Structures are given as structure tokens and as C-alpha cells.
Amino acid sequence: MLRDIPPILSPDLLWSLRAMGHGDDIVIADANFPATALGARCHRLDGISATEVLEAVLKVLPLDSFVAEPALVMEVVGDAAAVPPVVEAFGRIVEATADNPAPLGRLERFAFYERARRAFAIVQTGESRLYGNIILKKGVIG
């Protein structure tokens, strides 16, 4: 065991978080997300919600302060202005936990998939709420 590291972060996921460089993206995805098809590095945290994973990741990962939107969510198909409850929860977690709190940005579904395809890693969670997907851009510790 290690101190101050949330126990839901697996050894392989911790390796990815540490290996990421400034500006690299990591995706936290719901159970419906095509994580394995899109990502070369897919970490599975089945049975754990995306909100729990987001909070744990933000305790160890700095958000990029050099971009306007270091955290991005997927827009609801057919209603881009809608804010699902899981996205509201993401916003509260980023505000309360991130070292660099910022409003959540939004991407259209297929633009989100394309951005996820280029991410350093994808974390597939057991999240059952629709639109429980978020992309985080790693910042620096300085």
C-alpha cells in the first residue's frame, strides 16, 4: 500500500498516469464506451463509477492550466445543451478536487471519440449512467 493514493487506482493505471507527459489526455469512460476499440492502453475498473474514478485520478493528476478546457465531456446526441446528472457530478468533482478547477468543455459525440482515440490511455469504468465520459488533459507540477 502507498500513502495518499486512492486504492481504486490500479498499479497499471498508476503507471499510465505517471508516464503521461504535459498535454497528454486520459479518458474516463462509462461501461458503454468503445474503450478497447479506441484505445491502445485500456485500463478496466469494472464495478467502479466514473465519478469515483474521476475523483481518485484528480487527487494525483494535475490539470493543464495552459488550455481553456482541460476537462471535456461528450454532448448529448440531439440536445447539445442538455446536462446529464453524471456530467453535473463531474463538474462538481473538478471544482472541488482539481488543482486547476475549470468549467467543463463539450465535444460532439464523434469528435469526442476521435479525441479519445488519440488519448494516452482510456479507463473503462462500470459507470451505467449515460454520458459518463470525460477527457482530462495532464498539466504540470511546478
Side-chain angles (χ1 to χ4, degrees), residues 33-124:
F33 194 81
T36 302
L38 292 178
R41 285 183 199 89
C42 182
H43 301 284
R44 296 198 61 101
L45 292 178
D46 298 308
I48 301 174
S49 72
T51 48
E52 289 174 289
V53 174
L54 175 62
E55 186 171 11
V57 166
L58 287 175
K59 287 182 179 180
V60 299
L61 181 90
L63 277 185
D64 196 334
S65 62
F66 298 112
V67 297
E69 297 176 327
L72 298 163
V73 296
M74 183 187 293
E75 290 179 349
V76 174
V77 175
D79 188 0
V83 181
V86 69
V87 172
E88 287 179 358
F90 285 160
R92 288 190 302 273
I93 292 166
V94 169
E95 183 65 32
T97 310
D99 62 325
N100 177 39
L104 301 179
R106 296 171 180 228
L107 288 173
E108 177 274 331
R109 176 184 172 204
F110 292 105
F112 191 97
Y113 288 157
E114 190 54 40
R115 181 82 175 259
R117 186 182 317 281
R118 297 187 314 265
F120 188 89
I122 299 175
V123 183
Q124 179 96 60

